Amino acid sequence: MSLFPRILIAAVLWLAALPGVSGSAMAQSASASGPQRTERIEAELVPMSAWAAPGSTAVVAVRQTIKPGWHTYWRNPGDSGGATTLTWTTPQGVKAGDIVWPLPERQRLAGLMNYGYSGEAYLPVPVEIPATARAGTVLPLTVRALFFVCSAEMCVPEELTLRLDVPVREGAAPLDPRHGAAITRVLESAPRPAGIEARLALENGALVLSAAGGPLAGRDPGPSYFFPFRGGVVGHAAAQTGAWGPRGLTLRLEPGGATRADGLTGPVEGVLATAHGAFEIRAEPGTALAGTSGSGDLAAAPDGGADAARADKPGLAVFLQAVLFAVLGGVILNLMPCVFPILAMKAAALAASAHDARHARRDGLAFLAGVLTTFLLLAGVLLALRAAGEAVGWGFQLQSPPVMAGLALLMLAVALNLSSVFHVGAGLQGAGSGPLARLPGGLGAFFTGVLAVVVAAPCTAPFMAFALGAALVMPWPLALVVFLGLGLGLALPYVAVSLTPGLLARLPRPGPWMERLKGLLAFPLYATALWLAWVFGRQAGADALALLFAAGVLLALGLWLVGGAQAERTAGRRGVLHLTAGAAALLLAAGAGWLAAVAPAGIPVTEPGEGPAGLRSAPWSPSAVEAALAEGRPVLVNFTADWCVTCKINERTSLTSPGVAAAMERANAVYLVGDWTRRDDAITAELQRHGRSGVPLYLLYSPGSPEPRILPQLLTEGVVVDALKPAGD
């Protein structure tokens, strides 16, 4: 057996053996009182008091019991992870407030710093009881809690639905005998404002935080630490040092990425933890307050939490695993349908340099550079948008109509180049009867790598889901390395061939056949241009599509005129008329393309009606899934996008067969479509909940099952039919 199959099999076995990497990263329990459990966490909605009085504010808490070695997160998770979120369903007039966050532990791991909780933790929430509530009744409270439960090796989103029936009675209520005292202690020690004045200044590359007054005045605060409410303001993993004075203290902090880029543009809020308590502060931009330094140096606050003493090695293992899976996923990505159009450009480049080892090596390395550079740029933009709070996923660039319009025109231009309508560069490639119409040398190979990433990035392949999901919760330097591993895998086959003289020698010698091959390979790119234009039309509407078609015609005319000018110059004439007319046509094409890109959006993309298999479909939403399951019906959810070629192939083959339609009818299943062609934050969040950063994603919900089954990214009729059988039963 060759090396690659051995690596592939070993990786599959490794993935199958990992705890928590299952068909679903979610564990959603039915709405029921009492503790709800997953493999990593137990959660329960519990009261502080034995009952609630009409017109009062009751306190309930989400109690977490977290498996040893795992943790959940504070409102600012730190360098990775995600905060716990609560979505409430309450009776009319009952209002649940925000979480009263306990002071978090500092959890250092592999050079990172996270803020969160381990062991047992209570998250109290005040609940307003209306004065109209009748004594002797019960108020049902339901909360859908989403936890990011992480260990040193991985992060798993876990969703549990918790319920608590709160009895209503008159009079003051005693503490709940089981949880009342614990919740009271959490509330008493929770950070709260205490009349502290604070200032924050950026001085010589460091942030200087000064705080004065209130409980800080007149005493040594002891080891102190500042927890910002917002990520990116402070370097979480850096040490915080400082001094104290008669009015308060001063801390020197390392600026975070957002502060370095933007400076201090407004107040910074957070929690200042000292030996005498933790206090919420709001630091306004300004110079340090007087009397906050000079009496003594502050002792460094020690790290806390169950993971504080954990070695860096497990984190490194997960990082290396993500890189390996990224490389394998990139290699397999070459076999996905979305990359097929780019294979035409690769084949043309290989054919041209097959018998020139030096040129072949140059082209292979230039192609690799183009792939890695573009992956780095796209990943950087994606991570920056997510850090800014944007809900975006991999392939976000193709959700933009202007990007789709530009790509459609670019693909048309490249196809016309391969059809010898015009030539880029004046050099001739010795190919028998004529010049090889492609970008010359290393520049052409680099450009081919750029296009390969831009067009292929939205598709996902086996192993990519884990790698991308892990990358999106890693610190940005590690995440970029994972994305570069994906690019390396995508470019690896082409680079390996270009660096192997024995394989290149097997290709036919240059001759007229290369010109015919080059012309033939233009047609996949014409098809790609049409596909991109169709997606653009779905995003922007018919009027914008008409403008794009006009831009395409003008582009073709302009490039044809430019090609005529090149032919005249080859014959010894100047070709000024052709060149001038061609430039004018290209300017008109650019104008029409710009008008198409900025045209108002047309009809909506997703409409209820017939699905891709003639199946009756409806738009996806969490409420639609819950309604179908409440009726005892299975639910097949298809997260798709018009620009995802793999999605469309699955829909036109595996989801359109009579066998699948019959299986859906036998199972009385509901078919829901989540269309991600244009940006949809709800779909982005749902993809992330299942550990995915892009489409396709296929979920099969069964009545009575706590979590959906994730179907393979490459579907077959048999896979869908077999999955529907137990769901229908």
Side-chain angles (χ1 to χ4, degrees):
M1 183 181 293
S2 63
L3 179 60
F4 178 73
R6 291 178 183 270
I7 296 176
L8 193 61
I9 293 172
V12 171
L13 294 176
W14 188 7
L15 181 61
L18 284 174
V21 183
S22 60
S24 172
M26 311 298 300
Q28 182 174 357
S29 297
S31 178
S33 300
Q36 304 297 311
R37 300 175 181 83
T38 71
E39 182 182 345
R40 290 157 284 273
I41 187 172
E42 175 185 289
E44 183 180 8
L45 191 58
V46 297
M48 185 176 78
S49 302
W51 64 79
S56 68
T57 298
V59 176
V60 299
V62 175
R63 173 180 170 269
Q64 308 171 58
T65 304
I66 307 161
K67 182 179 178 181
W70 295 77
H71 57 268
T72 57
Y73 290 95
W74 188 53
R75 57 185 297 175
N76 171 14
D79 287 325
S80 63
T84 297
T85 60
L86 304 179
T87 304
W88 291 89
T89 301
T90 61
Q92 185 175 4
V94 177
K95 296 181 180 179
D98 297 329
I99 297 173
V100 180
W101 293 94
L103 186 68
E105 303 166 349
R106 289 187 289 142
Q107 300 157 333
R108 185 175 295 276
L109 175 65
L112 313 178
M113 179 66 77
N114 295 332
Y115 303 145
Y117 310 102
S118 58
E120 183 180 64
Y122 288 86
L123 300 183
V125 176
V127 178
E128 296 181 13
I129 308 299
T132 55
R134 291 188 303 163
T137 60
V138 172
L139 298 176
L141 305 181
T142 303
V143 64
R144 189 169 64 184
L146 176 61
F147 309 96
F148 280 84
V149 189
C150 299
S151 69
E153 299 180 358
M154 68 181 65
C155 263
V156 181
E158 305 272 23
E159 183 178 288
L160 294 171
T161 301
L162 313 175
R163 179 182 170 114
L164 175 67
D165 292 328
V166 178
V168 179
R169 299 183 190 175
E170 297 288 352
L175 291 178
D176 177 79
R178 293 184 57 208
H179 305 286
I183 298 175
T184 300
R185 287 193 297 269
V186 171
L187 291 175
E188 290 174 347
S189 62
R192 64 195 64 213
I196 297 174
E197 182 183 7
R199 295 287 185 272
L200 189 65
L202 187 59
E203 299 178 1
N204 300 321
L207 285 174
V208 178
L209 172 68
S210 58
L216 301 179
R219 58 177 175 176
D220 180 359
S224 301
Y225 190 88
F226 177 65
F227 296 88
F229 285 160
R230 185 167 61 90
V233 176
V234 172
H236 302 114
Q240 298 185 7
T241 60
W244 62 280
R247 294 189 59 225
L249 61 85
T250 298
L251 283 175
R252 294 185 65 83
L253 316 172
E254 179 181 292
T259 302
R260 292 190 185 98
D262 302 331
L264 291 174
T265 58
V268 174
E269 297 178 309
V271 170
L272 180 62
T274 72
H276 307 295
F279 315 101
E280 291 186 5
I281 62 172
R282 177 186 174 93
E284 300 286 348
T287 56
L289 296 168
T292 57
S293 62
S295 297
D297 294 333
L298 284 175
D303 294 348
D307 290 333
R310 193 179 303 275
D312 292 351
K313 192 172 181 180
L316 177 63
V318 173
F319 167 67
L320 294 177
Q321 175 187 345
V323 173
L324 172 63
F325 279 18
V327 174
L328 291 174
V331 171
I332 300 173
L333 192 60
N334 284 277
L335 305 177
M336 305 299 286
C338 46
V339 187
F340 286 170
I342 304 302
L343 295 180
M345 302 182 71
K346 291 185 183 180
L350 276 176
S353 58
H355 295 277
D356 187 330
R358 183 173 61 87
H359 287 171
R361 288 194 298 271
R362 177 203 62 196
D363 288 356
L365 295 177
F367 177 79
L368 175 64
V371 168
L372 295 183
T373 300
T374 313
F375 258 110
L376 190 64
L377 290 174
L378 284 177
V381 172
L382 171 63
L383 294 173
L385 290 174
R386 291 174 65 89
E390 296 289 332
V392 294
W394 193 239
F396 68 97
Q397 71 277 12
L398 297 189
Q399 294 176 325
S400 167
V403 171
M404 298 304 294
L407 284 177
L409 295 176
L410 179 61
M411 285 294 175
L412 176 61
V414 174
L416 292 170
N417 179 245
L418 288 175
S419 295
S420 298
V421 171
F422 73 105
H423 304 291
V424 177
L428 302 182
Q429 304 289 340
S433 62
L436 180 67
R438 66 178 184 93
L439 284 174
L443 178 61
F446 182 91
F447 180 68
T448 304
V450 172
L451 284 183
V453 177
V454 172
V455 176
C459 291
T460 54
F463 300 104
M464 280 182 61
F466 172 81
L468 293 179
L472 293 180
V473 297
M474 288 180 178
W476 68 265
L478 302 183
L480 289 181
V481 174
V482 175
F483 283 113
L484 288 177
L486 186 59
L488 175 63
L490 177 65
L492 196 57
Y494 179 86
V495 174
V497 172
S498 66
L499 298 180
T500 308
L503 292 177
L504 293 174
R506 295 177 180 271
L507 295 176
R509 288 284 176 182
W513 68 270
M514 293 180 61
E515 192 71 16
R516 293 191 294 271
L517 174 64
K518 176 256 304 178
L520 177 64
L521 293 178
F523 287 94
L525 295 177
Y526 286 122
T528 302
L530 287 174
W531 162 61
L532 293 169
W534 172 74
V535 176
F536 172 81
R538 295 273 288 170
Q539 293 174 331
D543 292 341
L545 181 61
L547 288 171
L548 182 63
F549 282 159
V553 172
L554 289 169
L555 176 67
L557 174 62
L559 293 179
W560 177 76
L561 290 169
V562 169
Q566 292 175 331
E568 289 196 358
R569 292 174 67 87
T570 302
R573 295 185 293 272
R574 299 179 64 181
V576 176
L577 181 60
H578 281 80
L579 193 59
T580 303
L586 292 177
L587 286 174
L588 290 174
W594 180 80
L595 289 175
V598 300
I603 59 173
V605 174
T606 304
E607 298 177 350
E610 292 294 320
L615 300 171
R616 193 70 186 172
S617 68
W620 168 86
S621 68
S623 59
V625 174
E626 293 174 1
L629 292 176
E631 296 175 0
R633 303 178 66 184
V635 183
L636 177 61
V637 182
N638 173 17
F639 290 104
T640 182
D642 287 339
W643 40 258
C644 172
V645 180
T646 305
C647 304
K648 294 305 169 186
I649 289 179
N650 283 339
E651 290 168 7
R652 301 301 176 188
T653 57
S654 304
L655 292 175
T656 57
S657 68
V660 170
M664 291 284 290
E665 185 176 356
R666 285 194 301 269
N668 193 26
V670 175
Y671 182 63
L672 303 179
V673 176
D675 197 314
W676 208 42
T677 303
R678 290 187 295 199
R679 176 172 169 174
D680 188 315
D681 292 350
I683 294 178
T684 304
E686 188 70 10
L687 293 172
Q688 294 170 0
R689 287 174 54 200
H690 295 280
R692 298 295 176 88
S693 61
V695 291
L697 174 63
Y698 305 103
L699 302 178
L700 181 61
Y701 292 84
S702 301
S705 178
E707 57 187 54
R709 174 182 174 184
I710 297 182
L711 302 185
Q713 292 172 321
L714 297 179
L715 291 179
T716 64
E717 176 185 340
V719 167
V720 180
V721 171
D722 290 344
L724 285 168
K725 289 178 181 177
D729 296 339

